[in-house]
Amino acid sequence: MTSPRDHLPELSTEEKASLTSGADFWTLKSIDRIGLPSIMVTDGPHGLRKQAADSDHLGLSESVPATCFPPASGLGAAFDPELAERVGVALGVESAIEDVAVILGPGINIKRSPLCGRNFEYVSEDPIVSGVIGAGLVKGIQSQGVGSSLKHFAANNQEFERMTASSDVDPRPLREIYLRGFERVVKDAQPWTVMCSYNKINGVYASQDPWLLTQVLRDEWGFEGLVVSDWGAVNDRVAALVAGLDLEMPGSDGGPDRAVAAAAGSDPAVAAALDASAARVLDLVGRAQARPAVAGPLDVDAHHALAREVAGRSIVLLKNDAVDGAPLLPLAEDASIALIGEFARTPRFQGGGSSHINPTRVDSALDALSAAAGDRVAFAPGFAFDAAAEGQDALRDEAVALAASRDVAVVFLGLTDAEESEGFDRDHIDLAAHQLALLDAVVAANPRTVVVLSNGSVVALPFADRVPAIVEAWLLGQAGGSATVDVLLGTVNPSGRLAETIPHRIEDTPAFGNFPGSNGHVRYGEGILVGYRWYDARDMAVTYPFGHGLSYTSFAYGTVSAEVTASGDIAVTVPVTNTGSRDGREVVQVYVAPVASVVERAPRELKAFASVEIAAGATVDVVLTVRREDLAYWDVRVDRFVVEGGAYRIEAAASSRDLRGSVTVDVAGDAVLVPLTPESTLAAVFAHPVAGPMVAGAFAALQEQFGGEGDGIMSGEAMAKMMGSFPIGRLPAFGWGLDREGVDQLLAAANAPQG
């Protein structure tokens, strides 16, 4: 049986060029004479957005009904790749029913700043969480014969000037933070496509960066699929093709295709690149054709039930203090409830832009709580979304009066579509002043107040010390209203954890002062200290730390053990006991750091996690694997990842600041032989296996001449520290044992091939 690729030799240069751009907004070109059909790609990362008529990239035109699952900001908080894979399966099923070949997602860009308007589409501030959850989604989608598109590759962490700005980032943070999650997904799940981002990276458009798209993605990571542009991301089509971009989307007037064909006719390098890209497009079509036709219909109820389950698992219980001797949540079965806030009646369950789904149905918290609690519930909107709308005072007064008359007040606050969306960044992390004023008045009237948040990225919580219970409910998809009520009533025991730190102020955040940049450049000045790494390195107070989340039960951790396996990975075991009276789920987190390092490192970095169901009173031995490759840092001297040898501290934790136990293991290091130059310091020379012994005698003589053991100019130890930073190429000028010929001979011997 022939495959589409078999027809490549039959195609003209013009036909090959035509394959490397779209036919229109969502489809690829067909070639009738070889029987090549057109296939469809479409958004989105948390639900299918197949537009029924007019096409656009900003969610303006109506799309076919589909299940809106929790966006990545919610799904990431579940810390569960198996749950993500189940969502991926559902996305694949819905795509297959609609004959969509590739669904554009997931998005796993790092949440560098809480101000990024698209953070609701991204998983975490941590690359391991982003990579593991992203891989789960990709595996699930592609198990249904539908392709995924891993995006946005890479260093695309803001909306301001997103199509032109240069993300200026040093090699270590680029590799360790911004590329690591993509590497995990590519190696573990092999997405059918990877979508390049709009922005430049260190001055080069991602769409035409051969280092990014070919050297890193294909040569180093072994990516086997197709690279597609974000919609409108291509600046120079020929340069992009040669760099490794296979498919430009959307379609155009044909001018770029003609430019590619002309260049291929005169330049063998372009012709070779065109052949490779056309072959990958043909392979993609072949993969899509291999999926059997799926007639449907969609099981709307089953997918809505899954969306509700996932939403419940995504909710993070931030605070649950005791009031009158008992935690305020779950709500007492006989409590009268004042349900306050327009978000409870009109839920904001997804973000704006290209991922905006036309849901099959939408649950509101008001409807769900009313159905469950009957006349124990009374509702007041409390505010209008538009702060400038008339009647805000009257709405507030009504809500306060209701709160005063009930046993407990549940206040829904959050961000509106106008405050966060694809296409622009937020100016601050504050909730609207009129919402905060409402909360102040409600708490004064009824201290038994629960706050429920609806937001796609973190917000400041100036009231955290003044309300007894806070529920972070993110944007939870179409079943979020019911799922939130499940948690409030205790039907679901909350198990979500923060995949991003909640700071006190925007001024405390790592990128403050370097976001969103100016004059076409944004400097990633915080380096590797992104998210919790920044706060922990500075021992800085936060409102709630990365990984934090409470339960309606309690968990105790036993003694942590760890051993290095034959593969070099670290197997970590920690017994966890549910010490409460309810079944529950604990997210066990493993943080790792070398006890000593030659480079800057964060105090701890998340390297493994597991979401584990534990029955009341039961103990489970939780086994987690820390991959050896995740211990490595990017060594700029040799331009590769390196694992330092020595002792590593392994910490089992319930958050980055709730450490429950630790153990130390010894890890064998990678051999690193750094070439010596005249600029190499004496410390580097002494540490070199060849050069070190050659200069040891001369240095000992210098110590004796100038210091000895403290009776000379300086002690031997002080002398060693001073001389350690001295470039060896400058020794001859001081007459300290080596002339220039001696330095040259030493460097030649050190850099000669060994063995």
Side-chain angles (χ1 to χ4, degrees), residues 26-28 39-45 47-50 91-92 95-96 98-106 141-142 145-151 191-195 226 228 231 247 249 280-281 283-285 287-289 291:
W26 296 119
T27 65
L28 277 61
I39 61 172
M40 170 173 277
V41 304
T42 195
D43 289 318
L48 183 68
R49 190 177 79 93
K50 179 182 178 182
L91 294 174
S95 298
E98 292 292 339
D99 197 24
V100 170
V102 177
I103 187 169
L104 304 178
I141 292 168
Q142 297 186 171
V146 174
S148 64
S149 193
L150 184 66
K151 64 182 187 180
W192 287 13
T193 74
V194 168
M195 182 190 293
L226 174 144
V228 60
W231 268 232
L247 176 63
M249 291 296 290
R280 292 183 191 120
V281 174
D283 286 343
L284 180 65
V285 175
R287 280 180 153 181
Q289 286 181 297
R291 184 192 71 240

Side-chain angles (χ1 to χ4, degrees), residues 57 60 84 86 95 208 242 336-337 385 508 512-513 523 602 655 664:
H57 194 44
L60 302 177
R86 290 173 60 200
S95 298
Q208 58 192 63
V242 174
S336 60
I337 305 165
F385 288 142
D508 295 339
F512 183 76
R523 175 65 185 156
S655 81
T664 300

Side-chain angles (χ1 to χ4, degrees), residues 111 113-115 119 318 343 348 413-416 419-420 426 428-432 435-436 439 451-464 470-475 498 500-506 509 542-544:
K111 298 185 181 186
S113 168
L115 296 178
N119 274 354
L318 295 177
F343 288 104
R348 180 164 180 260
L413 307 175
L415 301 176
T416 65
E419 291 175 287
E420 62 176 353
R426 290 194 284 165
H428 54 75
I429 60 171
D430 301 324
L431 291 168
Q435 293 188 39
L436 294 174
L439 178 63
V451 172
V452 179
L453 299 168
S454 299
N455 49 294
S457 185
V458 296
V459 293
L461 306 177
F463 49 82
I470 305 174
V471 175
E472 175 54 87
W474 310 111
L475 308 180
L498 289 177
E500 50 191 306
T501 306
I502 302 180
H504 285 302
R505 316 176 304 154
I506 189 61
T509 58
V542 299
T543 306
Y544 293 105

Side-chain angles (χ1 to χ4, degrees), residues 108 110 126-132 134-135 150 175-187 221:
I108 65 164
I110 292 296
D126 180 82
I128 300 299
V129 178
S130 300
V132 169
L150 184 66
R175 289 285 193 161
E176 294 179 31
I177 304 295
Y178 299 101
L179 296 184
R180 197 167 223 153
F182 286 97
E183 181 177 7
R184 170 67 72 98
V185 178
V186 167
K187 288 183 174 180
W221 299 350

Side-chain angles (χ1 to χ4, degrees), residues 15-49:
E15 287 173 322
K16 294 174 188 176
S18 74
L19 290 177
T20 61
S21 69
D24 53 29
F25 214 85
W26 296 119
T27 65
L28 277 61
K29 296 189 181 78
S30 62
I31 300 180
D32 293 339
R33 72 176 187 84
I34 62 169
L36 186 75
S38 174
I39 61 172
M40 170 173 277
V41 304
T42 195
D43 289 318
H46 55 266
L48 183 68
R49 190 177 79 93

Side-chain angles (χ1 to χ4, degrees), residues 625-647:
T625 299
V626 175
R627 297 186 182 184
R628 176 179 173 83
E629 64 197 60
D630 291 333
L631 301 176
Y633 75 94
W634 188 259
D635 191 330
V636 297
R637 302 170 304 170
V638 292
D639 206 32
R640 65 178 173 87
F641 274 112
V642 169
V643 175
E644 288 186 278

